[in-house]
Structures are given as structure tokens and as C-alpha cells.
Amino acid sequence: MVRLQRKIAVVGTGYVGLTTGACLAALGHHVVCADIDANKVDRLGRGHVDILEPGLDELVNRGLTAGNLEFVVGATNAVSPETEVLFLCVPTPMGADGSADLRAVESVLAEVGDMLPSGCAVATKSTVPVGTADRLRHMVNVPIVANPEFLREGSAVDDFLHPDRIVVGSADREAAQRVGDLYAALQAPTLVLDAASAEMVKYAANCFLAVKLSYVNAIAQLCDRVGADVREVTEGMGLDPRIGRSFLKPGPGWGGSCLPKDTNALLHVAEQAGLDFALLRSAIEQNVRQQEDVIDRIRQACDGTVRGARIGLLGLAFKAGTNDLRDSPAIGIANALVAEGAEITAHDPAITGELPGMRLVDDPYEAVKGAIAVVVLTEWPEFRTLDWTKVAELMDGFTVVDTRDLLDGDDLARAGLRWKAIGRRC
Ligand code: UGA
């Protein structure tokens, strides 16, 4: 019989930690979330969620009102003699050599390692290199369970509450099962594995997605060269259930806080293990070339050089539905254009404030004013329905580079604009 109400500590309140904490509270568990940022903890405690994640705000406030979700400063304050599972949701950024930097994970374990009650388990949600759970075992007096998350930014709450699978892994299978039982109400297939396999599932899945995207981005470029249309090509590919329809959309390159970091980390793991993972390395290189290709298309739209050219950017976040700029291809492309002497005005519905080298504006029409070329870099749906006649009047040039294949080319043509999408017959 699975006990429904459990006492849980979650360390780290980024989009993974906060989603985990708020969703586990929604499932009826008692959750204490800890962060080292006192200001953030204070705001969360008053129900203010700064991450743009649909449904998260509501769940946090529901948990606070119900009294089964709390926020505290510091990991040690999240642990009590009743804690049954402590989740590690702290960042594991890319270190200088491409490997995952585990300092945050290690520092939390050093703090709480000998405070955890017996019968408790530590669950790692942070993406950690294969072998980490076993390697860190000596730092705590309880089992470590790898429990990777498969949450996409922008749909993290929905992904948490409707998972494809729950993966838990540990040398202590009984502890792994206990962590898996926390999700019993979600009725997803649960895989109880050894720790290394569970850790590997996460990397193998994210890197597969990155390889898939690099492949489709290269196919899009090839379509341009041979006169095929990538939308039709990917439709034909996607109907094969072994390939599937999702993750087949070409773009300015994949980014965000996960795929770039995880591909580099797995490459590093492979190197350490003596395997030349050329396929993965080449997917990473293709992603760099994809951004260079977009920059080249923008140069062409500006008659060969962007020096002194005014360029309007629509979208900066690494994908729509988030306000996350981490490893966003849009930022890489904008910075390269600035370095070449372009004058950039950018608009993103989820980004306000200031960004170095460019003018950030609240109104998309302001972003396109006087532009030689306009570039769509994030697939925000509202860009589709812009008044393109008005855009054409405001622009100085007439090319719109649509890196997300978002817009309706006919709408743009009617407004007298030239639509350029990667791999599309324009
Ligand atoms: C990714 C994985 O999809 C999640 O399963 C995983 O849990 C998460 O990383 C993580 O490791 O935490 P996320 O980074 O939120 O999620 O974003 P994705 O939706 O995977 O998009 C990644 C990049 O691929 C974005 O830059 C996006 O614009 C790009 N993309 C995605 C495309 O260019 N085309 C597509 O068809 C799909």
C-alpha cells in the first residue's frame, strides 16, 4: 500500500525545483522548498512566482493556502526528523571543460549529509553525470536515488502532472521504489533501475533530441540548396511512427538551459570513458553552423553587410512560452550582429529591462521601425498576427527572415514584404 502523504524537502527553487515542490504539494505531500536566495524565498513565501511557467503561480499559491507548501532559506532549514525524501534541484552548469559542475550538489550534501533521518532518501533531479549518485554516496548517511526530470520549460507543470514515465535508480532498489511511489497518483509507467542507468536515461534522451534537431536543421539547409520544402519533407518523415512528428521543426539552433549543457556533458562523459562520440560532437557543431547560417541570411537581407544596418529582432527567449535567455540562439545571433556593427532593436513579449548592445522595446512595431531587415527568432504566436502592412510601412527594407517558419508567407507577400524561412520554398 502506497502512503499518499509524505514529508519532502526540495533544495533549489528554479523551474525544476519549484515545479517539483509545487506539484508534489498538489499531489498531497507536505513540501518544504529551500533556496539560498533569501529575497526569492521571501517573495515565494508571499506567493510571488518570478518564473514564467503556466500553472505554476496557481499551484504555489494553492499549496501556500493549504499549508502543505513552505519556503525556507538554506537547505538545513528544510530538513526535519520527519523528512522522507530530499530532492536536489540545484544547478549543474557547464564547467570550463564541458563537464557538469557539481559544486552546488556537493555543497548541499555537505551541509545536510549527516542531518538526514534514517529511512530518508536523497533524490537527484539535477542532471548529474553518469555515476554521480554512486560516487556521492559517502557524503550522506542515507541512499541516493537518481530521479531525472523530463520537464520542458514552458510546460513544466503539465509535464510533471502528465509524465510519459517516472525513472528512479539506485543501488538501494527499495529506496528507489519509495521515491517512485511519491508519484503513484500520476499512474505513469515507473522504471526502477540502477543509478547509472537512470542518470544515463536523462542524457541519452536530451542528446537524442539535440541530434534529431541538428539533423532536421541540416535537412532544412539542404532543402534550400536542392529546391525541396522542409515543411513537406518533415511531414512525410513524421508520419513514420518510428520517427514521430515532434521535434522536427527547423529553427535558429537549439538552446536553453538543458540541451547545450547536456550534450557537452555527455560528450565529456564519453571522452572520459574512452569513446569517441563523433555523432554527438557533430550535432553540437551543426548547431553552431545553424546560427552562422542565420547570420549569413541576415547579411544577405542587408545587401551583404550588416555594418550600420538597423535590424529588428522579434523574439529573444530560447523558445516561446518562457522568459529564459540562457543559451538562447537569439542572443548569440544578436551579439554576433552587434559585433559586426549592426544596430539592433529587439522585442520579446516576455522580456523587459536592458540588454547589452541592443535597444529592447515593449512594442513589436517599435522594433521594426526603420529596419532594413526583420528577423523572427522565437516562435511567439502573436507575431503571426502582426499587421504586416503596418510593418512594411514602418520598415526601411523589405526582408523578413523567419527562422521559426512561423509566419504566413502569403500575408507578407500581400504587404509587399519578402519572406525568408529556412528550408521553405519562399
Ligand atoms: C528539454 C527537454 O525537451 C526536456 O524533456 C528536458 O526535461 C529538459 O530539456 C531538461 O533537461 O530539463 P527544454 O530545454 O525546456 O526541454 O526545451 P525544448 O522544448 O526541448 O527545446 C529545446 C530547444 O530546441 C529550444 O531551443 C527549441 O526552440 C528547440 N526546438 C525544439 C526546435 O528548434 N525545434 C523543435 O521542433 C523543437
Side-chain angles (χ1 to χ4, degrees), residues 15-16 53 125 127 148-156 159 164-165 202 205-206 209-210 213 216-217 245-262 287 317-320 322 324 326-329 377-379 403-404:
Y15 95 96
V16 170
E53 198 59 71
K125 281 261 175 232
T127 307
E149 48 77 24
F150 304 102
L151 312 176
R152 289 163 302 171
E153 276 189 55
S155 52
D159 287 347
D164 308 314
R165 72 289 207 197
K202 169 72 186 200
N206 268 5
L209 294 174
L213 287 177
V216 87
N217 282 337
R245 285 161 174 273
S246 56
F247 256 69
L248 282 185
K249 193 97 197 263
W254 36 270
S257 63
C258 304
L259 301 195
K261 161 176 88 76
D262 292 352
N287 201 42
F318 85 99
K319 65 173 179 179
T322 80
D324 198 340
R326 283 177 293 176
D327 264 316
S328 173
L377 288 165
T378 311
E379 71 283 24
T403 69
R404 297 285 187 168

Side-chain angles (χ1 to χ4, degrees), residues 50-100:
D50 294 325
I51 306 170
L52 184 65
E53 198 59 71
L56 188 56
D57 200 302
E58 191 194 324
L59 281 194
V60 166
N61 280 285
R62 208 195 292 170
L64 287 170
T65 310
N68 67 337
L69 180 63
E70 293 173 51
F71 294 95
V72 298
V73 180
T76 52
N77 290 320
V79 177
S80 77
E82 283 89 49
T83 305
E84 292 168 76
V85 179
L86 176 131
F87 280 98
L88 287 177
C89 303
V90 291
T92 49
M94 186 164 43
D97 59 357
S99 66

Side-chain angles (χ1 to χ4, degrees), residues 152-236:
R152 289 163 302 171
E153 276 189 55
S155 52
V157 169
D158 198 55
D159 287 347
F160 190 102
L161 297 175
H162 305 100
D164 308 314
R165 72 289 207 197
I166 300 293
V167 175
V168 282
S170 177
D172 183 333
R173 300 281 170 127
E174 192 271 329
Q177 186 65 58
R178 263 186 289 139
V179 173
D181 287 346
L182 292 178
Y183 306 92
L186 301 175
Q187 300 189 326
T190 300
L191 301 182
V192 182
L193 312 174
D194 61 88
S197 300
E199 288 163 341
M200 190 64 172
V201 169
K202 169 72 186 200
Y203 279 113
N206 268 5
C207 294
F208 183 82
L209 294 174
V211 170
K212 192 175 183 186
L213 287 177
S214 278
Y215 180 80
V216 87
N217 282 337
I219 289 288
Q221 292 200 29
L222 191 54
C223 283
D224 269 335
R225 287 167 173 77
V226 299
D229 187 300
V230 74
R231 195 187 281 187
E232 288 163 11
V233 171
T234 49
E235 200 185 331

